[in-house]
Amino acid sequence: MKQRLNFFSVFLIALLGITSFAFCQSLELSEEYTQSALWIDTGRNTEFYTSYPSEGVFSTTSPVELRWTPFLGTQPLEKETFFQIAGMQEEALRYKQAQKTARIFNWTGLSLFLAGTLLLAGSQTIDPDSKVLLYSSLGLIFGGIASGGIGIIIDNSSQIPASEAAQAAVRYNENLKLELGLE
């Protein structure tokens, strides 16, 4: 009887230990998933927590919602990095090139605007009646505004809608779950 009780106790402790170990392993996998999952935040109380996808999430924002912040786990990402992680290599390259072009137009616009403003201020001090200086400075100012506007248009056209990014994150997260053995 005492021998059976000892055997049963050892068996119960071993079973409890194995169960606890398996539970801890699943918690570690869940934590790894949580830290490696992609999701986006639109900043409108309609976060796309793509680790729990549902049809209702995608209908809460319009397909033209362009402002969103990508995350890997709890860490914010650059959009280019998000695209690369989500397997959207073409979009990452297109986004990077468009952002570089938009920055060039924006800085050019700012430079032209400042040069025009300085020329206008200087021309009023040097020769207030000079139409050439006045029109040149106004041309630089309006050229700067136009260049900045083109930069903004390029920036907006390079954005991917939040719904498309969320769907890419859902696909990535589903593959991550399979890779980690959580499904």
Side-chain angles (χ1 to χ4, degrees):
M1 176 87 163
K2 189 174 184 181
Q3 205 172 24
R4 280 192 219 169
L5 190 58
N6 283 342
F7 175 75
F8 182 71
S9 297
V10 168
F11 177 74
L12 192 59
I13 289 172
L15 183 63
L16 185 61
I18 291 171
T19 307
S20 297
F21 179 73
F23 180 72
C24 288
Q25 288 293 89
S26 82
L27 282 180
E28 285 179 24
L29 286 176
S30 294
E31 185 174 326
E32 184 177 348
Y33 172 77
T34 303
Q35 293 302 316
S36 302
L38 290 176
W39 63 279
I40 67 169
D41 179 11
T42 61
R44 290 183 30 207
N45 278 343
T46 57
E47 287 108 5
F48 286 99
Y49 289 97
T50 56
S51 55
Y52 302 105
S54 68
E55 291 299 317
V57 171
F58 296 116
S59 64
T60 58
T61 187
S62 70
V64 294
E65 176 78 44
L66 297 178
R67 301 292 173 215
W68 49 274
T69 305
F71 287 85
L72 178 66
T74 58
Q75 300 300 316
L77 291 175
E78 294 292 322
K79 285 185 180 179
E80 180 185 353
T81 307
F82 172 85
F83 295 142
Q84 290 171 345
I85 292 171
M88 303 170 74
Q89 305 310 327
E90 288 180 27
E91 288 83 352
L93 182 60
R94 202 169 351 120
Y95 180 79
K96 180 180 179 180
Q97 291 170 340
Q99 292 300 301
K100 184 187 273 188
T101 304
R103 273 193 302 278
I104 290 170
F105 273 97
N106 288 334
W107 282 109
T108 302
L110 180 64
S111 299
L112 289 173
F113 183 81
L114 290 176
T117 303
L118 290 174
L119 182 61
L120 181 61
S123 70
Q124 294 304 309
T125 306
I126 296 171
D127 186 9
D129 295 330
S130 174
K131 299 292 182 197
V132 173
L133 288 176
L134 175 67
Y135 293 145
S136 297
S137 62
L138 291 177
L140 287 173
I141 289 171
F142 289 124
I145 291 170
S147 181
I150 291 170
I152 290 170
I153 290 169
I154 291 171
D155 180 46
N156 284 339
S157 68
S158 70
Q159 301 296 323
I160 290 184
S163 59
E164 200 175 313
Q167 290 170 351
V170 167
R171 283 191 301 274
Y172 173 82
N173 291 344
E174 287 172 354
N175 290 334
L176 180 63
K177 282 181 184 177
L178 291 173
E179 186 179 304
L180 294 173
L182 294 173
E183 278 191 7

